[in-house]
Amino acid sequence: MARRDSYTDLLIIGAGPAGLMAACWASQYAIKTRLIDQKSERTAAGHADGINSRTMEILDSFGVADTVLHQAAGNMDAAYWGPEEQTGNIRRIKCQPSQPQELSRFDQMLLNQGAIEQILIDYLGSKARVHVERGRKAEKLRLPSHSDQGNNNEYPVHVRVVAADGEDGQPDNAEVIHTRYLIACDGARSWTSAQLKIDSDIWNTESTWGVMDIIPETDFPDIQRACAIQAGDGLSMMVVPRENNLVRFYLHMNGGEERSPNGPDKSEGSLEDLIDMAEKTLKPYKLSYKHCDWWSIYPIGRRLIKQYRSDRIFFAGDAAHTHSPKGGQGMNISMQDTYNLVWKVAAVITESIDPAILETYQSERRPEAEQLMEFDTRLVYAYEEGSMEDGSEDGVEAVRDKYAGFMAGVAVTYPPSILVDKGESNTAVARNIQLGKRLPSYLIVGQEDGCVVHLAKKLNSNGCWKLLIFPGDLHHLGVLDRLSVFANDFSGRINNHLIPQSSKNSKLLETLLIHSSPRASISQSQLLTTFHQFDTDATVFADDPLYDGDTGQVYEQYGIDKQKGCLIVCRPDQHVGWIGAIEDIEGLEKYFSKFLFRKKRT
């Protein structure tokens, strides 16, 4: 059979949330990326629906959070319901915010997976570098040996792709894609994983759940709140309000066979069974529905692959881990997998970063999946066996409280590595900042224009590292002089290519200066004089409390002394990699020299 051969830097298999996030990251770099999916269209309805705070922060870093906010339903309150001993009817035990407000500037949002996919697809369309190639099915995988010659060494992964509709008899339908790296985002029944015979840790369970998205007709008073409900006779249910007047119901089925139809099939009666079980759980309240958007019945299975990487191939999302949807983590963890991975792969491809950093994908993301398995196990047990009463140690509320930071996605803390330099960092100069954790965001004021903006808005996902310079209060004795020394020293090292500003493909480092003086007391010309030899375009901000809102909190919240200041390095994914004193240019250089600008490939 005739075939076509093509070459690409990065091949992504699977255009679900993980694959689309991977493509969004890859679109920031001058690399060639292919994204294939065997489905003819994106997810139409159902599936994942929870977007946690960290995922919202990530989406905001690509400039699409406002689109999500416009479409999604907010998840502000959570109600807990349990049975009355005498009647067996349910009663409300407690109502409280769904998560602590101080965790993030974003709340958890609720929007169906298909809508999220479309938002990311539209973003890719605006970048015009990557598009989804639908109806393309990976059929054969080959990893050539090191003895192979020619392009095989440069593009060592070979994937034979055919038309997903089975019409691969046509010569033009068969293609062999030669790629430098492959990211498998091809779901729980990962084709790529099967080809490589990847081993997994498996947690067996017989628990079966049903899910339905309906527009309900009910007198249940908390239908527009997220609810954890336990009734008599082992009945338990989770209620999640959704966009467009939809409400999702998760029900513990106590057994059953896996069925995942695209819509209601009244001949089987499964949807009506779900409605009947939901109404029994809600007793004494009534429940019927106007419209069913999607439903499914499925067993819970927990699986975690042992290795996230096999040579040039990486696994992300459901291809790496599967679990129940009870904590609303599936889509979030999946997108955060590829958000962690792709900037590393792209930087290696563009020859700006040592390939050794690719080892950190396993060390950073698999522990998060292990914690997910632990959380999921405890939460499912709480729904099935725990108590909703106050003070219960095995109840849903207790589990959610314990894992609040994890559920919001903001507690993720990556361990020491080549990218999280605990040994060279001086964390005492920013007492409240934790290495390896994403930098929390607070309001700052633009020195030039006086605009109030969240610091995270300046940590956008463009592939650049961010050097945050905190000189302190420029009116304190010696602070301005120390800043000037730093600027001249740093500029000299850039000019000597010790901390270069760009590779052949892209800018690598952006700098932000955030002082703690009142903005009006500092002249722009004074700062320009200080930075007259500073060869990077430093954007200047003030941590000034004299503005509307909650400005003036950065130094206090980060634990930075206003006389001593500090330096903070954020990786392209907003996680803190290094912290040092403002005089410690040598330490800064040592940090970057461990992985930047070693122009070699493995």
Side-chain angles (χ1 to χ4, degrees):
M1 180 187 297
R3 76 176 199 190
R4 293 179 293 126
D5 288 86
S6 60
Y7 298 85
T8 190
D9 294 313
L10 176 62
L11 174 63
I12 305 164
I13 300 179
L20 289 168
M21 175 58 69
C24 288
W25 242 142
S27 71
Q28 310 302 313
Y29 292 83
I31 64 175
K32 186 174 181 180
T33 302
R34 299 276 299 274
L35 171 59
I36 65 171
D37 194 293
Q38 65 180 10
K39 294 184 295 185
S40 61
E41 58 185 16
R42 67 161 174 82
T43 302
H47 299 277
D49 63 350
I51 313 165
N52 70 20
S53 298
R54 179 57 187 150
T55 301
M56 286 299 299
E57 292 175 357
I58 292 170
L59 293 171
D60 190 53
S61 75
F62 288 103
V64 298
D66 286 344
T67 306
V68 175
L69 291 170
H70 179 71
Q71 298 182 33
N75 186 14
M76 300 298 293
D77 288 336
Y80 299 90
W81 290 71
E84 291 180 338
E85 291 185 7
Q86 295 179 346
T87 66
N89 294 337
I90 60 170
R91 60 183 177 87
R92 185 195 296 130
I93 295 171
K94 179 180 288 189
C95 184
Q96 62 185 35
S98 60
Q99 72 178 35
Q101 295 298 303
E102 68 273 9
L103 290 178
S104 171
R105 70 191 193 279
F106 289 105
D107 294 312
Q108 180 183 6
M109 305 304 294
L110 298 159
L111 184 64
N112 74 82
Q113 178 178 323
I116 293 296
E117 290 180 9
Q118 189 60 53
I119 289 168
L120 298 179
I121 290 167
D122 291 344
Y123 176 83
L124 290 175
S126 71
K127 300 295 290 187
R129 280 187 175 175
V130 188
H131 69 279
V132 183
E133 301 174 45
R134 296 206 176 274
R136 303 295 287 163
K137 179 182 178 181
E139 185 184 68
K140 188 175 182 180
L141 175 65
R142 179 176 176 237
L143 292 170
S145 67
H146 292 294
S147 62
D148 288 344
Q149 301 298 314
N151 284 324
N152 289 340
N153 289 329
E154 191 75 6
Y155 301 88
V157 182
H158 300 180
V159 181
R160 186 175 187 272
V161 177
V162 297
D165 59 10
E167 296 178 1
D168 56 330
Q170 298 297 323
D172 289 342
N173 283 335
E175 175 187 11
V176 175
I177 301 176
H178 305 252
T179 183
R180 290 176 174 167
Y181 292 93
L182 185 153
I183 302 178
C185 305
D186 47 353
R189 296 176 177 85
S190 170
W191 172 87
T192 313
S193 177
Q195 303 308 299
L196 297 174
K197 298 180 173 60
I198 301 298
D199 291 332
S200 298
D201 293 323
I202 298 174
W203 290 259
N204 291 322
T205 177
E206 296 179 356
S207 182
T208 302
W209 288 70
V211 57
M212 57 183 176
D213 292 338
I214 62 173
I215 297 177
E217 292 183 322
T218 180
D219 56 350
F220 178 61
D222 284 346
I223 197 64
Q224 291 302 319
R225 286 190 174 110
C227 298
I229 303 170
Q230 286 179 334
D233 300 324
L235 294 171
S236 63
M237 184 169 67
M238 186 164 69
V239 176
V240 184
R242 292 272 304 279
E243 75 283 356
N244 300 324
N245 297 317
L246 290 170
V247 176
R248 171 162 291 188
F249 293 78
Y250 287 108
L251 299 107
H252 181 210
M253 302 295 291
N254 296 312
E257 298 179 356
E258 180 180 8
R259 286 171 289 178
S260 298
N262 292 322
D265 184 344
K266 299 295 176 60
S267 65
E268 290 188 0
S270 294
L271 175 59
E272 298 306 323
D273 287 345
L274 293 181
I275 293 293
D276 181 63
M277 182 174 289
E279 188 171 27
K280 288 179 180 178
T281 306
L282 288 176
K283 183 183 175 183
Y285 304 103
K286 302 298 183 182
L287 175 69
S288 60
Y289 67 98
K290 296 179 180 179
H291 167 74
C292 178
D293 197 52
W294 177 81
W295 65 273
S296 180
I297 297 175
Y298 55 91
I300 290 177
R302 298 184 186 90
R303 177 188 60 88
L304 173 59
I305 61 172
K306 294 183 177 181
Q307 293 296 324
Y308 273 41
R309 177 187 184 186
S310 177
D311 195 13
R312 295 290 189 102
I313 298 173
F314 299 86
F315 298 89
D318 287 353
H321 42 73
T322 59
H323 50 90
S324 88
K326 298 303 154 305
Q329 294 302 305
M331 181 165 60
N332 296 284
I333 297 291
S334 297
M335 294 169 74
Q336 290 164 26
D337 281 346
T338 49
Y339 187 67
N340 173 281
L341 172 63
V342 175
W343 68 267
K344 300 172 184 177
V345 174
V348 170
I349 291 171
T350 58
E351 299 183 308
S352 62
I353 287 187
D354 193 307
I357 71 162
L358 299 179
E359 296 300 325
T360 65
Y361 177 56
Q362 165 91 11
S363 63
E364 291 183 346
R365 292 308 300 171
R366 196 174 191 278
E368 292 305 311
E370 291 172 349
Q371 188 172 11
L372 172 61
M373 297 301 158
E374 175 187 297
F375 162 69
D376 187 60
T377 300
R378 293 190 178 188
L379 187 62
V380 170
Y381 177 84
Y383 270 100
E384 296 178 358
E385 304 292 342
S387 170
M388 292 292 180
E389 298 299 328
D390 283 346
S392 171
E393 295 182 358
D394 61 355
V396 174
E397 181 186 1
V399 174
R400 292 178 67 91
D401 286 348
K402 179 178 180 179
Y403 289 89
F406 176 79
M407 292 179 65
V410 300
V412 174
T413 306
Y414 296 141
S417 68
I418 192 173
L419 295 176
V420 179
D421 198 338
K422 186 175 182 180
E424 296 292 337
S425 289
N426 177 8
T427 55
V429 297
R431 299 182 308 277
N432 301 332
I433 297 299
Q434 191 169 351
L435 280 167
K437 201 170 186 178
R438 105 330 182 181
L439 189 72
S441 182
Y442 299 95
L443 294 171
I444 52 177
V445 184
Q447 179 64 38
E448 185 172 358
D449 58 16
C451 289
V452 176
V453 64
H454 258 283
L455 174 56
K457 287 286 189 180
K458 301 302 175 180
L459 307 181
N460 55 316
S461 293
N462 60 4
C464 291
W465 296 70
K466 308 297 194 297
L467 173 61
L468 278 60
I469 307 164
F470 294 91
D473 188 341
L474 301 179
H475 296 301
H476 278 303
L477 182 65
V479 169
L480 197 58
D481 291 338
R482 188 166 63 245
L483 179 60
S484 181
V485 170
F486 164 82
N488 290 330
D489 193 5
F490 185 64
S491 175
R493 289 170 190 262
I494 291 174
N495 289 331
N496 290 328
H497 303 289
L498 297 177
I499 308 177
Q501 282 295 279
S502 64
S503 70
K504 66 180 182 180
N505 284 311
S506 62
K507 187 176 181 181
L508 285 164
L509 185 66
E510 292 181 351
T511 54
L512 287 80
L513 185 145
I514 305 164
H515 66 79
S516 63
S517 312
R519 170 180 171 265
S521 68
I522 301 297
S523 68
Q524 188 75 3
S525 60
Q526 183 181 20
L527 287 170
L528 289 174
T529 300
T530 301
F531 285 94
H532 71 286
Q533 290 184 341
F534 202 10
D535 285 356
T536 185
D537 298 324
T539 309
V540 181
F541 298 91
D543 183 32
D544 190 341
L546 303 178
Y547 284 76
D548 292 337
D550 296 322
T551 57
Q553 296 188 36
V554 175
Y555 276 72
E556 178 182 357
Q557 293 291 342
Y558 292 171
I560 302 172
D561 190 296
K562 293 184 178 182
Q563 295 188 51
K564 297 179 180 179
C566 77
L567 303 173
I568 296 177
V569 173
C570 285
R571 313 180 330 178
D573 59 2
Q574 304 177 336
H575 284 253
V576 177
W578 180 86
I579 302 172
I582 200 166
E583 301 90 352
D584 193 11
I585 301 293
E586 183 177 351
L588 179 65
E589 182 184 328
K590 282 183 178 179
Y591 171 69
F592 280 119
S593 68
K594 292 180 179 179
F595 53 84
L596 279 188
F597 321 121
R598 299 177 185 180
K599 296 185 178 180
K600 64 180 182 180
R601 287 194 178 99
T602 57

